[in-house]
């Protein structure tokens, strides 16, 4: 079974509109971390935002916020006031366990976001 | 500030040739280091990770190997490349700890012909 599911292969959004990128996850570990990365056409993976499973509040970083719904195992990324430069692939990822070991991240298959002028 | 360097950016190699991709991190000590591969149109697959010099863990048995000869240097190698080794390879580092975040290099596009 997939641990990270991103159900939107591609999205077209008008510039300046808000965008919600969906992500659901599957784990039985009570301790985990959720991440979103942006990958522009250049290929580099850019860290956007992080949410720990025990964090009480939704994470925010500038125009990015993470809508964390623990009971639904959902961690949607919200981009406010989208810009042309937001066009990229977006990946949701998870680390199970917060023990500090080098376990790496499990990634979803990504959503290709295109912002239209 | 911390930076990660990965090279080369692109590489075209014949089947059966060796491979060496290098990654170095600056501005931090004792980082966790990772190698990921991204096949076309897919997410990232963890290949190797390292918590220290000479300590390598493999996630997927395959034609590749990794080494960490220095604290901030991580090398991905192969003795004989296969067609299936083609892909986009990304190196990443993280600061060990409970809420470790990974930061990636710019990647190497490898084409095996």
């Amino acid at each position: 079974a997939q641990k990270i599911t991103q159900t939107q292969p591609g999205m077209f959004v008008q510039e300046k509109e808000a965008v919600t990128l969906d992500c659901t996850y599957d784990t039985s570990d009570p301790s985990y971390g959720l991440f979103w990365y942006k990958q522009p056409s250049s290929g580099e993976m850019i860290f956007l935002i992080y949410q720990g499973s025990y964090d009480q509040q939704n994470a925010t970083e500038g125009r990015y916020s993470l809508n964390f719904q623990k009971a639904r195992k959902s961690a949607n990324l919200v981009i406010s006031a989208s810009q042309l430069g937001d066009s990229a692939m977006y990946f949701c990822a998870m680390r199970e366990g917060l023990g500090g070991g080098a376990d790496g991240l499990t990634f979803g298959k990504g959503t290709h976001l295109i912002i239209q002028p | 500030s911390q930076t990660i360097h990965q090279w080369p950016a692109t590489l075209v190699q014949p089947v059966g040739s060796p491979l060496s991709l290098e990654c170095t991190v600056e501005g931090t000590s004792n980082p966790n280091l990772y190698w990921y591969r991204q096949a076309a149109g897919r997410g990232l697959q963890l290949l190797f990770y390292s918590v220290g010099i000479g300590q390598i863990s493999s996630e997927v048995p395959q034609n590749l190997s990794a080494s960490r000869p220095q604290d901030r240097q991580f090398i991905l190698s192969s003795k004989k490349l296969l067609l299936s080794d083609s892909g986009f390879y990304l190196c990443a580092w993280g600061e060990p700890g409970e809420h470790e975040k990974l930061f990636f290099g710019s990647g190497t596009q490898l084409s095996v012909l």
Side-chain angles (χ1 to χ4, degrees):
Chain A
Q2 289 188 42
K3 293 198 171 184
I4 296 287
T5 302
Q6 294 181 252
T7 58
Q8 306 152 309
M11 286 185 70
F12 289 87
V13 175
Q14 287 296 118
E15 189 180 9
K16 300 181 183 178
E17 289 184 353
V19 181
T20 298
L21 304 180
D22 295 339
C23 173
T24 57
Y25 58 92
D26 182 25
T27 181
S28 57
D29 196 319
S31 302
Y32 52 89
L34 297 160
F35 304 75
W36 277 93
Y37 285 85
K38 173 184 179 181
Q39 187 178 38
S41 56
S42 61
E44 183 180 0
M45 294 287 283
I46 303 168
F47 167 76
L48 295 178
I49 199 166
Y50 166 81
Q51 179 89 39
S53 59
Y54 295 120
D55 293 343
Q56 294 297 316
Q57 295 188 329
N58 287 344
T60 61
E61 291 282 354
R63 293 188 299 115
Y64 304 107
S65 60
L66 200 151
N67 184 2
F68 182 43
Q69 298 187 37
K70 196 169 183 177
R72 297 178 59 185
K73 294 188 174 179
S74 167
N76 297 342
L77 176 71
V78 180
I79 307 174
S80 63
S82 60
Q83 303 170 357
L84 295 178
D86 293 332
S87 296
M89 284 291 292
Y90 287 80
F91 291 94
C92 180
M94 175 177 66
R95 171 186 294 109
E96 293 175 280
L98 297 176
D103 302 320
L105 303 180
T106 300
F107 283 80
K109 293 186 177 181
T111 295
H112 189 191
L113 175 64
I114 297 175
I115 307 298
Q116 297 175 310
Chain B
S1 62
Q2 302 89 356
T3 56
I4 179 168
H5 303 279
Q6 187 181 340
W7 68 92
T10 59
L11 191 59
V12 180
Q13 292 284 97
V15 170
S17 64
L19 173 74
S20 180
L21 302 181
E22 190 162 342
C23 172
T24 60
V25 181
E26 296 178 358
T28 187
S29 297
N30 303 315
N32 291 333
L33 296 173
Y34 303 83
W35 279 110
Y36 279 85
R37 177 169 60 198
Q38 184 178 26
R42 303 183 68 178
L44 274 68
Q45 178 187 36
L46 178 63
L47 301 177
F48 301 95
Y49 65 88
S50 171
V51 299
I53 296 174
Q55 301 179 62
I56 309 295
S57 296
S58 174
E59 287 292 304
V60 183
Q62 56 204 322
N63 184 42
L64 302 169
S65 62
S67 61
R68 185 170 177 173
Q70 300 180 43
D71 180 46
R72 290 169 289 176
Q73 183 184 28
F74 206 23
I75 298 172
L76 183 69
S77 304
S78 174
K79 292 182 178 178
K80 288 185 177 182
L81 283 168
L82 306 172
L83 289 174
S84 58
D85 292 325
S86 294
F88 190 60
Y89 290 82
L90 285 153
C91 179
W93 75 274
E95 191 167 312
E98 189 172 289
H99 302 289
E100 179 188 3
K101 303 173 182 63
L102 265 59
F103 299 95
F104 287 81
S106 54
T108 297
Q109 182 65 53
L110 172 65
S111 299
V112 183
L113 306 177

